[in-house]
Amino acid sequence: MNNILKVENLKKFYASDCVLDIENLEIEESSIYGLIGPNGAGKSTLMKLILGLVKKDSGKIFLFGKELNKKNQKEFNRVLGALIENPSFYEHLTGYENLEIICMLKNISKNEITRTLELVGLTNAANKKAKEYSLGMKQRLGIAIALIGHPKMLILDEPINGLDPQGIEEMRNLFNNIVTNSSASILISSHILDEIEKISTHIGILKSGKLIYNGKLSDYRMIHPPFISIETSDNIKTASLLNISQKNVKNKKLILGKKSNDEIGKIVHYLHGKVDIYRIEEERESLEKLFIAETKGVK
């Protein structure tokens, strides 16, 4: 599979502070790359570097196999869609008029406007001034500005802020449809890690400007396998039989930890006739919990 974006030895300093130091990052076509990290970890800085909004101190950025530079940045930005931090638009203009301006700047047919407004659920508000939009509607307009013109790559910084649960689900479906029906890719950041997990094929975890994980979400999940819990007629007795601390009894369950199928089978066989087994469940730690552990340095 071809790479849409590749970053090599990218560094950015503010004064003497290194705010970004990425040795390698690759985003494949038709993928959704979820970028997560604490505030100040460098997420927005990376996105701004790709778009040429800030200047890198060293390293290389490649888009579609070509290295980005001052001369070609504007050309590449025509095939990128971006929403960085808060959406920017003219509040005294309507949603439709705001998209008209983007079409002129990117030399895109105005025929795209109706389709794009429909995609983000703003058809009925097309002729309403942006200053009269709710927070969620403004966020949708920002996404529409990023989407217009069939960009080959979307760069979205906190795109679902201000959206209600239905709006979040609609955006999730929209992003999945984009990568499913085209070779475009999405680089997306969000503090709503549950949503990142639902839509991402790959993730990058930034800590103090460095990528501490960079790869497929499925591979990350293999590094952190699910744990097993068991519910019996007497969880305290079960803990004693298995030589497990009673502290592992939580919410009517005994947490066994990460066990293989073979180990689970032996446990069930050993407990047979000693306690009644009601339920054995496989439970995954949330991405949010794993993220907190990673970024705090907890093993």
Side-chain angles (χ1 to χ4, degrees):
M1 186 172 287
N2 296 324
N3 289 327
I4 281 186
L5 174 75
K6 185 175 182 180
V7 169
E8 293 180 352
N9 302 312
L10 184 64
K11 290 188 179 182
K12 176 62 184 174
F13 291 84
Y14 286 122
S16 59
D17 294 330
C18 183
V19 297
L20 201 67
D21 183 3
I22 297 178
E23 291 184 8
N24 182 67
L25 185 154
E26 297 180 9
I27 296 181
E28 300 174 354
E29 64 181 17
S30 301
S31 66
I32 300 180
Y33 190 102
L35 188 64
I36 59 178
N39 289 333
K43 302 185 298 297
S44 296
T45 299
L46 173 60
M47 293 178 170
K48 289 175 181 177
L49 286 167
I50 296 168
L51 294 165
L53 299 176
V54 296
K55 183 181 177 182
K56 68 180 186 290
D57 288 295
S58 62
K60 296 179 179 180
I61 301 173
F62 297 88
L63 276 172
F64 319 115
K66 294 183 179 180
E67 185 178 355
L68 273 177
N69 55 52
K70 288 182 179 179
K71 292 182 179 179
N72 63 22
Q73 182 76 62
K74 190 173 181 179
E75 175 188 346
F76 276 116
N77 282 358
R78 292 182 185 276
V79 293
L80 298 176
L83 172 60
I84 305 295
E85 297 174 346
N86 297 320
S88 298
F89 42 75
Y90 296 102
E91 296 217 343
H92 66 285
L93 299 180
T94 67
Y96 189 95
E97 289 167 340
N98 270 282
L99 292 183
E100 275 187 314
I101 292 174
I102 302 301
C103 287
M104 286 188 288
L105 291 173
K106 289 193 170 187
N107 195 26
I108 298 168
S109 170
K110 292 182 182 179
N111 294 335
E112 286 286 308
I113 297 176
T114 300
R115 178 193 68 86
T116 306
L117 287 170
E118 184 177 356
L119 279 175
V120 299
L122 285 179
T123 300
N124 293 334
N127 297 314
K128 188 176 182 179
K129 289 186 178 181
K131 66 182 178 182
E132 299 172 1
Y133 281 14
S134 66
L135 177 61
M137 292 168 69
K138 288 179 178 179
Q139 200 70 12
R140 289 170 184 268
L141 181 57
I143 294 172
I145 290 171
L147 282 173
I148 198 160
H150 299 280
K152 294 181 180 180
M153 182 175 180
L154 280 171
I155 299 174
L156 305 173
D157 190 13
E158 302 286 346
I160 55 179
N161 277 359
L163 299 182
D164 58 24
Q166 181 178 343
I168 291 174
E169 183 178 12
E170 289 170 356
M171 287 303 111
R172 185 196 313 147
N173 293 335
L174 173 59
F175 299 151
N176 282 323
N177 287 337
I178 289 170
V179 299
T180 299
N181 298 318
S182 72
S183 59
S185 295
I186 299 175
L187 172 61
I188 181 172
S189 74
S190 176
H191 284 101
I192 307 176
L193 301 189
D194 182 50
E195 284 304 314
I196 287 289
E197 180 156 29
K198 286 178 181 177
I199 65 172
S200 297
T201 56
H202 300 68
I203 63 168
I205 302 177
L206 272 173
K207 180 182 180 183
S208 301
K210 291 181 177 287
L211 276 174
I212 58 175
Y213 180 80
N214 174 36
K216 292 182 177 179
L217 178 59
S218 57
D219 291 343
Y220 185 72
R221 274 299 179 188
M222 288 181 67
I223 297 171
H224 302 280
F227 60 90
I228 304 300
S229 67
I230 187 170
E231 184 181 348
T232 70
S233 55
D234 190 335
N235 289 332
I236 299 297
K237 180 180 178 181
T238 303
S240 178
L241 288 168
L242 298 177
N243 198 26
I244 295 174
S245 170
Q246 292 184 11
K247 293 180 180 179
N248 282 33
V249 178
K250 300 175 182 178
N251 300 322
K252 298 183 180 180
K253 299 176 183 178
L254 173 63
I255 306 302
L256 299 179
K258 296 169 182 178
K259 301 292 182 182
S260 66
N261 289 341
D262 184 57
E263 289 174 314
I264 295 168
K266 289 179 180 178
I267 288 171
V268 171
H269 180 74
Y270 175 70
L271 292 177
H272 180 69
K274 298 179 177 70
V275 292
D276 294 328
I277 298 173
Y278 298 149
R279 184 179 290 110
I280 298 175
E281 294 181 313
E282 185 178 79
E283 302 185 30
R284 297 196 313 172
E285 291 178 292
S286 68
L287 183 60
E288 181 177 40
K289 186 174 181 179
L290 292 172
F291 164 76
I292 292 171
E294 294 271 21
T295 54
K296 283 190 175 180
V298 179
K299 297 296 185 181

